[in-house]
Amino acid sequence: MNPIWLILMLLVPIGGALLVAFGKERNAYRDAYFASIAALVPAIAALFEFDFSHAGAFQGLWSVEWLQPLGLKLSIGVDSVALLLILLSVLLGPVCVMASKTAITENRKLYYAWLLVLQAAMVGVFISRDLLLFYTCFEFTLLPMFILIRMFGSTNRVAASTKFFLYTFTGSLVTLAGLVYVVKFAAERNGSWSLDIETLTTAAAFMSPTEQALVLGAMLAGFAVKVPLFPFHTWLPLAHTEAPTAGSVILAGVLLKLGTYGIFRFAIPMAPAAFVEYAPMIAVLSVIGIIYAGLICWVQDDIKKLVAYSSVSHLGFCVLGLTALNATGLSGSVLYMLSHGFSTGGLFLMIGYMYERYHTRDMRRVGGLASKMPVWATFMVFFAMASVGLPGLNGFPSELLCLISAFQADAGWVAAGEPGAAGVTLGPWYAIFAGTGMVIAAMYLLIMVGRICFGPLTEPDGHHAHEVLPNDLCVREIVTLLPLAAGCLIFGLFPGLLLDSIQEPVNQTVRLVENAQELSGPRPGAGPDAGYLYIEETGAEGATP
Amino acid sequence: MITHLLSGTFLPSVLASAPGADTAQAASIAHGPKWVLLIPFLALLAACLNGVYAAMGNKTKLPAWTTVALLAVSFFATVAMATGFDGNAYTVKAFDWIQVHGDASSFVANFSFYVDTLTIYWMLFVTGLATLIALYASEYMSHDVGVSYSRFFAGFALFVFSMSCLVMGDNLVMLYLGWEGVGLCSYLLIGYYYKKPAAVAAAKKAFIVNRVGDLGLALGLYLVFVHFGTVEYAALFSDEKLLGYLDAAKVGAFDQIPAIAEWIALLLMVGAFGKSAQFPLYVWLPDAMEGPTPVSALIHAATMVTAGVYLIARFYPVFLISEHALPIVAWIGTITALLAATIGMAQFDIKRIMAYSTVSQLGYMFAGLGVLTPTGGAYHVLTHAFFKALLFLCCGAVMHGFAGQLDLRKLSGLRRVKGWGVVTFGMLVGCLNLAGVPFTAGYFSKDTILAEAFVTPGASLIGWILLLTAGLTAYYTFRVFFRVFMGPTEFHPGDEHHDDHGDDGDDHAHDDHGHGDKGGFHPHAPGWAINAVLATLTIASLAASGLYFVGSGEHHGTETKHYADTMVSSSTASYHSPYSEHAFHAGDHGDSHAADDHADPNAVQAGVGPRGTITEPLLLFGQDPHKVMYYVSGVVGVIGIGLAWCFHLWGRTEAATCRMDSLARLFGPIPRWAENKWYVDEFYNAAIRVPLRIASHLMHWFDKLVIDGIVNLAGMAPRMFGWMVRPSQSGVLQGYAAGMVGGLAMLLVVILLVVRLGGGS
Amino acid sequence: MTPMLTLGVSEYALPASVLAPYLFVSAAMFAIGLIGFLTRKNLIIMFLCTELMFQAAGLALIAFGRHHLGEDGQTFVIFVLCVAAAEAAMALALVVLLFRRRETLSAEAWKELKG
């Protein structure tokens, strides 16, 4: 695949941002709109050119040397998981731009420029094959989000943006420390410095269990905050409630996935033994998150906070799948990453459109809107059902696979020897408790839908109609919702489209962990430096630049 | 990826790492004709078309006609499927759905359908009733023509699609899809009148209580996959492990079966309880009456609620291998039957009475499954579907015609009102079936279950309770009929009349034999659609009793007694209880050992079965219960009807009161408790909802104060540190100098000490 | 020439007994300077005291230089004198500017510059 598409996917939004920033204020929307549509072109080209029969191999590889003695070079490449996540980010670009047309009335240049920069940064994270680009873009996503929340958010935006930035940033710094340790370790082993992710992954599995544990802890510090995993989630409700609609959509749709992607790409391959050992602990945190966040959703009156906590709950399933470390779990988790963006993005858009008309998110003051906004209510019920995990929509296959994987990851329950469990022992209780999350999800989502859509019409006092927008959704708003709704439906009925594509990277990751396990020897009682000799690379067809 | 889409999903997938997972299934089961896919997908098409109509703002009855037409074609396709069935089960694949192929194991759940006799049996009445009820609804809902009308039929058609997926699905995940789909449609349709808070709350309750059951089903699904390695029926029911367990179970050797098998059955059972409204998950069904009557008839009487029975029937082998699952099913079914009957006796809303009777009859079906007669359970499903739908539709006609009036204290003697003849006759036939009057279809099906209860060891108490419940059923059923349709003619309109005659509720200027209309209210007699459907259902209910006499004989190697038996016996639900055979032959020949001569492939040895070994068959009044039950249940039914006549018709002069009222006072507060549903809802609220809500609030506060507090504290720490250190910047120049000097002095001291201790510089 | 550089130094080395008075004087000068800096309020007097401390340090450096027979001490004194000169220029400039602001040479006038 030609790497030019990846480079273009990075450069077009930046070009668009510059165009918006140096153009006129009143053209800001138009310029941003065209730039985001233009960014779709290289994405679709990349999709066509990607060779899905070798989905696990990194394609579109390209690199340029920067400082050779220090091993600093810029390299890019994607496998299917990264490509699909990029497509999600690129798809959300025009959706967010279009959704903001009437919501943002001042400082439009600033807004659209930073939105486009954010998109470029997200793409950068997924196309990076070296640590420098990855970390730079990873951190760089914080800045536009900070500005978007700070300048265009609701009443409590200052606190929300500050907390979001500082919390995530601190975590990422600890991650950086962990990653730098891996770099140093790899340099000592290989004799030369390199930041290439492939090299680092190969070398990192040779770290001693203690080292791996520390590196894992460091990496998780940043990724867990971003996911967010249970005790580190408190920035999320605040950031989501105060962010503008597009900000929430991107935050929920893609930025949270940076954390889980980081775990999938870095934490698991680079600290496999430690991950297997600590997976139950992480799984416990994720299950607690599922139930805890779900119950908190139930008592919320602020509808946006409700959906924000529901994100915490849903991503608990995602992480549960990751911790199971078998093919089902990792597939389910990656599928969850992809499908959550559609359903929760849709919910945030619905809330945003409602907010534009009523200027309140409190369900005690506004409700029963199906009488006045039937199209809106239909979409709302649709996205709520996708979020609940109704079979036929995209929440279901991912949830199903994640829960099954938790059962599978206990050798005692499996009938005919399942060697591929990679040694993680989770067991039935994880899935049973996580399953109650399904019931809780039904509770809070249906209660939300029941209050906001159904029942007698309640409008806040002194409410009058919007000067530009009609009562129900206008065409532009429906156009933003259609791709998301279509995605929910199509990926619910044909998850094979995604599952087949991600199968190989998932299997490769499982094999990598298994190999590391086998050669690490029996862990309990063994000495600290027992038995990791070499890693046999099976089936990894990625070319090392 | 586009080429991948074209090749990968609609044709067999060609992944290199999939070690023939598809082909293994393909080898063991035949592939059926593709036109079978029409059955579910036509309903889906109807739903989509209705959605389009809603979007386009259609104001005619086109949605109804589209739905009826497509569902009728679906029904004929089902009939074709039934007549063309040669006895060998087959699957038909629509497309690949969820497939994960790891190195070690694969999870495969395709969008495909499995057809055997059980499927055909169920689909016949599902599609048939769906078509008829759609026709009924075309008139019943005609007040709402417009977007709401389209919305109704969209939900209706989507429901039929989901139900088809549930019944026809070839793996547990398809069943789950249909399961949740019917739950969704039930939610949308119960909440159809979404402006009414009661309807919205009822819809929510239904979905959430169902979800609790769904959790059990989901967990059972996961365990099935984890233990047997597959969720597809064809592979599962021919799995050697399962067959091994079955052999052990059939002779009562449960210690050879691992605990996980027990858990699978128990979890699936919980799912069945949720969907089929058994105790303790039945509380949603009576509230579901907030939905329009066609919805109540189709979903909450005939189809969705039978999904649980279907689940247990389909997975009967899995239930057999569990020692405790079927007994629990039997007992829960019995308790539910009795409980619901007692509540139904004390209600005044006729739809609600019918709802409780549905719960009660579902209890019968579960009890039937639990006492080792899947045939009885399935047979009762069929008969119940017809007569319960009939009963609900008659109630609906009453509601439609009397502006929403459903209180039996406000309606009486409707049989004499012009234009209500069909309704009255339909109601009578339905009530006779429900009460189990001899020679009705309901009589035969109930008998099968009752008889088995007395034949199976440990279940005779179940039999007596069910017999008592049969009496109560007959009583409350005819209470409705005698109050509403017999006696002096009098009626008060409800709150939903569309002609503006004003609401003059309590004006009792009536006479015994006059027309009894209040202030000029004219009841709206049912039109041709409603009458046609009611007539069809009445005839079908009467004809259904004939099903008891056809289909007996030898079918595919087993001896079957009637139509339902035939259908069930060649499917995965097939099981003939050895206790039943034992008693049957004892009754025949008066000799329990004659059973040994009879070559029944299911009974290893007469009297040896899952509930232990018995040497003497269990008899009722010294006779084979199958024979005796004909008389006993008949007598019980007649007693019930007699009591109803005595208390509710004999000497009744007005709609509101009857002889029962004075009698009820003798029982003190008990009738009131029964009327308040034994306060079960209130109990759930207090025991589950309130504590959970308190817990949630506590967690919310914990989140805000503790977790967020720690985070905020971490943010405050640098600030506090700075605040503590600030005084050192005093602004006094000499102070800084003094600090420097002090620091320097300390440094010198340290160096000197180090030098001295280190021994040399 | 050479005798001065190679041999003469050993002849002119300062014995320890003679070293002590130099150090006492240097310490006394330093202490006086320090106490003066800490107690006086007049900016110019404070500056004079710092100069005194400089000279004390220089004296000590020379004494030790002679004692250890190296040229380091003397070299360093040259450094110190340069630094002192530069610092004198800077400090006096600052003092002049500060005086212009507050019309007083008292250090107390600047107590507001606290954290």
Side-chain angles (χ1 to χ4, degrees):
Chain A
M1 184 179 85
N2 201 330
I4 190 71
W5 304 123
L6 300 180
I7 300 174
L8 275 180
M9 277 199 281
L10 188 59
L11 290 181
V12 168
I14 294 182
L18 290 171
L19 187 67
V20 168
F22 292 112
K24 293 209 184 71
E25 173 83 7
R26 57 189 164 84
N27 289 337
Y29 172 76
R30 187 197 67 181
D31 296 338
Y33 177 74
F34 284 122
S36 57
I37 300 277
L40 280 175
V41 172
I44 297 178
L47 182 64
F48 273 103
E49 279 200 22
F50 192 85
D51 180 12
F52 278 95
S53 57
H54 294 103
F58 284 90
Q59 302 173 30
L61 290 165
W62 180 77
S63 63
V64 61
E65 293 271 354
W66 188 17
L67 271 182
Q68 210 274 333
L70 284 178
L72 294 178
K73 75 176 163 196
L74 206 74
S75 48
I76 61 176
V78 285
D79 70 345
S80 55
V81 174
L83 182 68
L84 290 171
L85 283 166
I86 292 176
L87 288 172
L88 177 64
S89 333
V90 171
L91 176 66
L92 286 179
V95 168
C96 289
V97 168
M98 283 177 78
S100 317
K101 183 173 182 188
T102 43
I104 308 292
T105 46
E106 293 172 341
N107 290 321
R108 276 188 287 241
K109 283 201 312 188
L110 195 73
Y111 180 87
Y112 290 114
W114 280 115
L115 200 60
L116 288 168
V117 169
L118 182 59
Q119 189 179 327
M122 293 190 301
V123 170
V125 171
F126 294 122
I127 65 175
S128 59
R129 287 307 295 155
D130 75 275
L131 213 53
L132 188 63
L133 182 63
F134 170 79
Y135 192 74
T136 314
C137 292
F138 191 80
E139 289 301 292
F140 207 75
T141 56
L142 294 181
L143 187 60
M145 206 62 226
F146 174 78
I147 294 178
L148 287 180
I149 301 179
R150 184 65 153 238
M151 296 209 55
F152 301 98
S154 307
T155 39
N156 210 9
R157 57 183 182 269
V158 170
S161 54
T162 317
K163 183 180 255 177
F164 159 73
F165 188 87
L166 288 178
Y167 203 167
T168 328
F169 192 66
T170 315
S172 312
L173 283 177
V174 184
T175 307
L176 181 64
L179 290 169
V180 166
Y181 184 85
V182 175
V183 171
K184 187 211 86 161
F185 182 86
E188 277 172 4
R189 241 187 94 83
N190 297 335
S192 67
W193 287 87
S194 169
L195 287 180
D196 181 54
I197 294 180
E198 192 81 34
T199 328
L200 291 177
T201 316
T202 326
F206 291 92
M207 290 192 285
S208 72
T210 350
E211 285 178 316
Q212 282 195 22
L214 288 172
V215 165
L216 180 68
M219 286 202 278
L220 276 181
F223 295 140
V225 173
K226 220 143 165 84
V227 167
L229 199 57
F230 162 60
F232 308 111
H233 62 279
T234 46
W235 62 270
L236 185 70
L238 202 55
H240 261 130
T241 11
E242 306 302 326
T245 311
S248 293
V249 171
I250 293 204
L251 186 56
V254 185
L255 290 185
L256 299 185
K257 313 312 183 317
L258 294 182
T260 47
Y261 179 76
I263 298 180
F264 179 74
R265 259 293 175 259
F266 293 91
I268 296 180
M270 288 188 187
F275 195 88
V276 169
E277 187 163 337
Y278 291 102
M281 206 168 80
I282 304 173
V284 167
L285 287 178
S286 58
V287 170
I288 294 179
I290 295 175
I291 301 181
Y292 176 87
L295 285 176
I296 294 183
C297 278
W298 191 30
V299 295
Q300 291 300 320
D301 287 318
D302 181 336
I303 195 175
K304 214 164 177 190
K305 209 173 224 186
L306 191 153
V307 182
Y309 272 109
S310 86
S311 278
V312 179
S313 191
H314 286 316
L315 284 167
F317 282 103
C318 195
V319 175
L320 184 66
L322 282 176
T323 54
L325 273 185
N326 45 35
T328 336
L330 290 176
S331 307
S333 185
V334 175
L335 191 62
Y336 218 114
M337 288 187 225
L338 295 166
S339 52
H340 178 254
F342 286 98
S343 51
T344 309
L347 278 175
F348 276 116
L349 280 178
M350 306 308 310
I351 297 173
Y353 295 149
M354 189 268 297
Y355 185 75
E356 269 187 77
R357 289 161 172 79
Y358 288 98
H359 299 291
T360 176
R361 290 187 305 262
D362 192 338
M363 285 194 282
R364 292 169 293 195
R365 293 176 56 210
V366 69
L369 294 178
S371 328
K372 204 160 174 193
M373 302 167 67
V375 180
W376 180 90
T378 315
F379 275 109
M380 190 69 171
V381 172
F382 182 82
F383 284 118
M385 287 301 148
S387 205
V388 142
L390 192 77
L393 297 177
N394 64 359
F396 173 66
S398 32
E399 214 173 75
L400 173 78
L401 292 173
C402 286
L403 288 174
I404 287 186
S405 70
F407 271 113
Q408 270 188 310
D410 183 342
W413 287 79
V414 175
E418 157 96 29
V424 174
T425 45
L426 289 183
W429 286 108
Y430 292 85
I432 292 174
F433 280 114
T436 55
M438 278 170 36
V439 180
I440 300 175
M443 272 176 6
Y444 64 74
L445 279 170
L446 283 178
I447 288 179
M448 175 190 86
V449 166
R451 285 171 86 174
I452 198 90
C453 291
F454 301 133
L457 179 65
T458 321
E459 289 177 326
D461 298 331
H463 164 75
H464 43 268
H466 199 273
E467 56 226 18
V468 179
L469 293 171
N471 272 340
D472 205 351
L473 298 179
C474 66
V475 177
R476 167 184 60 91
E477 290 169 335
I478 297 183
V479 169
T480 57
L481 290 170
L482 282 178
L484 298 179
C488 283
L489 195 59
I490 292 177
F491 295 130
L493 289 176
F494 306 106
L497 292 176
L498 299 174
L499 280 175
D500 292 342
S501 320
I502 63 179
Q503 201 63 71
E504 237 188 89
V506 159
N507 284 344
Q508 277 173 15
T509 312
V510 176
R511 266 179 239 139
L512 192 132
V513 176
E514 275 170 36
N515 290 338
Q517 282 297 289
E518 272 170 22
L519 301 168
S520 281
R523 265 188 334 282
D529 291 63
Y532 21 93
L533 304 167
Y534 65 101
I535 297 280
E536 186 186 89
E537 285 261 299
T538 51
E541 291 162 286
T544 329
Chain B
M1 193 161 153
I2 304 296
T3 47
H4 180 79
L5 163 67
L6 292 173
S7 69
T9 54
F10 287 94
L11 301 175
S13 54
V14 288
L15 290 173
S17 57
D22 267 350
T23 51
Q25 260 76 291
S28 62
I29 190 157
H31 286 291
K34 287 280 188 200
W35 55 262
V36 168
L37 292 176
L38 277 180
I39 299 175
F41 284 110
L42 279 179
L44 183 62
L45 176 66
C48 295
L49 283 176
N50 287 324
V52 168
Y53 297 151
M56 294 189 334
N58 180 300
K59 296 247 188 310
T60 64
K61 283 196 181 175
L62 182 60
W65 304 137
T66 320
T67 312
V68 172
L70 288 172
L71 287 180
V73 176
S74 217
F75 173 66
F76 290 127
T78 314
V79 171
M81 179 172 80
T83 48
F85 190 72
D86 64 352
N88 295 318
Y90 57 82
T91 59
V92 182
K93 184 159 93 160
F95 51 86
D96 290 341
W97 191 27
I98 303 177
Q99 292 192 6
V100 173
H101 297 284
D103 292 332
S105 67
S106 306
F107 180 83
V108 174
N110 288 328
F111 217 96
S112 38
F113 301 97
Y114 177 88
V115 178
D116 70 356
T117 47
L118 192 69
T119 322
I120 293 174
Y121 180 78
W122 231 269
M123 283 312 289
L124 279 173
F125 73 79
V126 166
T127 44
L129 281 174
T131 316
L132 286 173
I133 297 179
L135 182 59
Y136 176 97
S138 69
E139 180 183 329
Y140 188 85
M141 306 296 297
S142 52
H143 294 298
D144 284 339
V145 170
V147 172
S148 299
Y149 199 68
S150 313
R151 182 164 60 93
F152 177 86
F153 281 99
F156 197 93
L158 190 64
F159 170 83
V160 179
F161 168 70
S162 306
M163 192 70 199
S164 317
C165 286
L166 196 161
V167 171
M168 288 174 66
D170 101 317
N171 56 68
L172 265 168
V173 184
M174 276 298 285
L175 186 137
Y176 190 78
L177 170 92
W179 199 267
E180 294 267 329
V182 297
L184 169 74
C185 297
S186 171
Y187 171 77
L188 292 175
L189 289 171
I190 296 175
Y192 173 74
Y193 297 116
Y194 61 78
K195 295 195 180 94
K196 269 176 72 178
V200 175
K204 217 169 29 177
K205 186 174 183 181
F207 198 93
I208 293 173
V209 176
N210 269 341
R211 255 278 154 130
V212 176
D214 295 351
L215 175 62
L217 177 61
L219 291 174
L221 190 160
Y222 307 149
L223 283 182
V224 166
F225 175 67
V226 157
H227 191 61
F228 294 108
T230 175
V231 288
E232 300 182 306
Y233 297 164
L236 179 65
F237 292 117
S238 51
D239 185 67
E240 294 143 10
K241 244 195 322 209
L242 180 65
L243 293 174
Y245 296 158
L246 255 179
D247 289 334
K250 282 188 179 158
V251 295
F254 288 105
D255 45 340
Q256 294 173 21
I257 303 175
I260 189 173
E262 181 95 60
W263 281 106
I264 292 178
L266 290 174
L267 287 168
L268 291 178
M269 181 184 82
V270 171
F273 287 163
K275 193 61 80 182
S276 293
Q278 295 299 293
F279 182 84
L281 296 171
Y282 69 93
V283 289
W284 63 272
L285 188 54
D287 286 7
M289 298 299 118
E290 295 286 340
T293 310
V295 168
S296 306
L298 181 65
I299 299 184
H300 304 122
T303 44
M304 178 172 115
V305 292
T306 62
V309 184
Y310 172 79
L311 174 67
I312 298 185
R314 171 64 80 204
F315 283 88
Y316 212 65
V318 174
F319 277 85
L320 280 172
I321 65 179
S322 156
E323 190 178 353
H324 300 108
L326 283 177
I328 297 179
V329 168
W331 274 106
I332 297 277
T334 315
I335 293 171
T336 312
L338 182 61
L339 181 70
T342 55
I343 301 179
M345 275 166 48
Q347 300 297 310
F348 297 107
D349 179 332
I350 54 178
K351 250 178 100 173
R352 224 151 259 245
I353 296 174
M354 289 303 151
Y356 281 107
S357 89
T358 307
V359 175
S360 186
Q361 296 304 304
L362 286 167
Y364 268 93
M365 295 173 213
F366 275 77
L369 291 169
V371 294
L372 305 175
T373 170
T375 307
Y379 189 25
H380 202 53
V381 166
L382 180 66
T383 56
H384 176 262
F386 279 102
F387 65 70
K388 192 45 68 62
L390 177 59
L391 284 169
F392 266 110
L393 295 183
C394 292
C395 294
V398 168
M399 191 175 170
H400 185 71
F402 290 90
Q405 180 60 265
L406 284 171
D407 192 331
L408 52 71
R409 294 169 294 192
K410 302 230 170 81
L411 295 166
S412 174
L414 295 187
R415 69 188 170 99
R416 292 207 195 90
V417 179
K418 198 165 176 323
W420 289 86
V422 178
V423 176
T424 312
F425 188 63
M427 191 79 178
L428 178 63
V429 169
C431 288
L432 287 173
N433 271 292
L434 180 54
V437 163
F439 300 110
T440 54
Y443 168 73
F444 289 123
S445 57
K446 214 183 277 193
D447 270 6
T448 322
I449 299 172
L450 287 169
E452 289 297 320
F454 286 103
V455 160
T456 310
S460 57
L461 180 58
I462 290 179
W464 287 111
I465 298 179
L466 286 179
L467 209 49
L468 169 68
T469 314
L472 295 178
T473 309
Y475 167 73
Y476 70 67
T477 313
F478 273 89
R479 170 173 174 254
V480 172
F481 186 73
F482 287 145
R483 290 292 288 265
V484 176
F485 288 92
M486 308 283 282
T489 305
E490 177 192 333
F491 46 83
H492 304 256
D495 300 328
E496 295 167 20
H497 44 225
H498 303 275
D499 41 341
D500 46 356
H501 285 280
D503 190 26
D504 34 352
D506 291 347
D507 182 15
H508 281 300
H510 65 90
D511 53 0
D512 286 2
H513 306 288
H515 289 291
D517 57 359
K518 300 291 150 261
F521 169 73
H522 295 292
H524 181 71
W528 70 269
I530 292 185
N531 275 335
V533 170
L534 290 179
T536 317
L537 280 175
T538 314
I539 297 171
S541 303
L542 289 170
S545 48
L547 285 177
Y548 192 67
F549 300 103
V550 301
S552 60
E554 188 84 15
H555 283 269
H556 309 298
T558 52
E559 169 143 338
T560 58
K561 300 199 189 71
H562 49 83
Y563 173 70
D565 206 7
T566 316
M567 297 307 263
V568 171
S569 296
S570 0
S571 71
T572 57
S574 130
Y575 183 72
H576 286 126
S577 159
Y579 308 114
S580 182
E581 300 293 327
H582 205 29
F584 189 69
H585 295 298
D588 260 350
H589 307 280
D591 173 9
S592 57
H593 296 297
D596 296 334
D597 302 335
H598 214 85
D600 187 334
N602 270 333
V604 174
Q605 183 190 336
V608 179
R611 304 291 171 87
T613 308
I614 55 173
T615 45
E616 291 299 317
L618 297 174
L619 302 173
L620 182 63
F621 303 133
Q623 299 291 322
D624 174 22
H626 299 101
K627 297 277 172 357
V628 173
M629 198 45 66
Y630 289 138
Y631 304 103
V632 174
S633 67
V635 166
V636 167
V638 168
I639 293 176
I641 297 176
L643 283 173
W645 176 80
C646 175
F647 293 129
H648 292 283
L649 185 57
W650 183 32
R652 181 162 65 88
T653 52
E654 54 177 28
T657 58
C658 67
R659 186 160 288 135
M660 188 61 193
D661 296 340
S662 39
L663 199 62
R665 256 171 259 142
L666 290 179
F667 290 100
I670 298 180
R672 198 168 22 91
W673 292 346
E675 190 188 334
N676 284 321
K677 308 167 281 169
W678 305 115
Y679 302 108
V680 171
D681 275 321
E682 287 76 3
F683 173 73
Y684 281 165
N685 197 35
I688 299 175
R689 190 177 167 276
V690 168
L692 210 55
R693 208 150 168 100
I694 294 176
S696 304
H697 278 293
L698 280 176
M699 283 195 218
H700 188 201
W701 283 111
F702 181 78
D703 202 51
K704 273 212 312 223
L705 293 178
V706 178
I707 299 187
D708 213 20
I710 294 177
V711 172
N712 288 340
L713 209 63
M716 293 271 283
R719 254 196 183 160
M720 287 199 304
F721 183 71
W723 177 78
M724 284 193 303
V725 175
R726 251 172 94 192
S728 67
Q729 300 295 302
S730 59
V732 178
L733 205 52
Q734 285 96 336
Y736 300 155
M740 274 196 265
V741 169
L744 193 60
M746 275 203 301
L747 207 58
L748 283 173
V749 167
V750 166
I751 290 176
L752 273 174
L753 282 175
V754 166
V755 164
R756 210 165 267 244
L757 291 173
S761 53
Chain C
M1 298 288 191
T2 13
M4 275 278 266
L5 290 171
T6 52
L7 298 172
V9 183
S10 61
E11 286 174 43
Y12 300 163
L14 225 47
S17 54
V18 188
L19 180 59
Y22 285 95
L23 293 181
F24 280 136
V25 171
S26 164
M29 279 169 66
F30 190 86
I32 293 169
L34 183 61
I35 293 167
F37 182 85
L38 290 177
T39 49
R40 298 300 291 264
K41 294 197 184 55
N42 192 313
L43 285 171
I44 296 188
I45 302 295
M46 282 163 75
F47 174 65
L48 269 175
C49 295
T50 62
E51 287 296 311
L52 194 53
M53 284 193 272
F54 268 122
Q55 302 312 314
L59 184 58
L61 278 167
I62 297 170
F64 271 118
R66 260 320 196 170
H67 178 64
H68 287 303
L69 300 175
E71 58 275 7
D72 304 334
Q74 299 182 17
T75 331
F76 213 74
V77 170
I78 306 293
F79 274 116
V80 168
L81 289 178
C82 289
V83 167
E87 186 245 348
M90 274 245 340
L92 286 173
L94 281 172
V95 168
V96 166
L97 285 174
L98 288 175
F99 177 76
R100 281 197 193 152
R101 277 282 182 180
R102 290 290 162 95
E103 302 289 325
T104 172
L105 281 174
S106 170
E108 307 229 310
W110 296 99
K111 273 215 281 219
E112 293 158 8
L113 286 174
K114 58 183 177 179

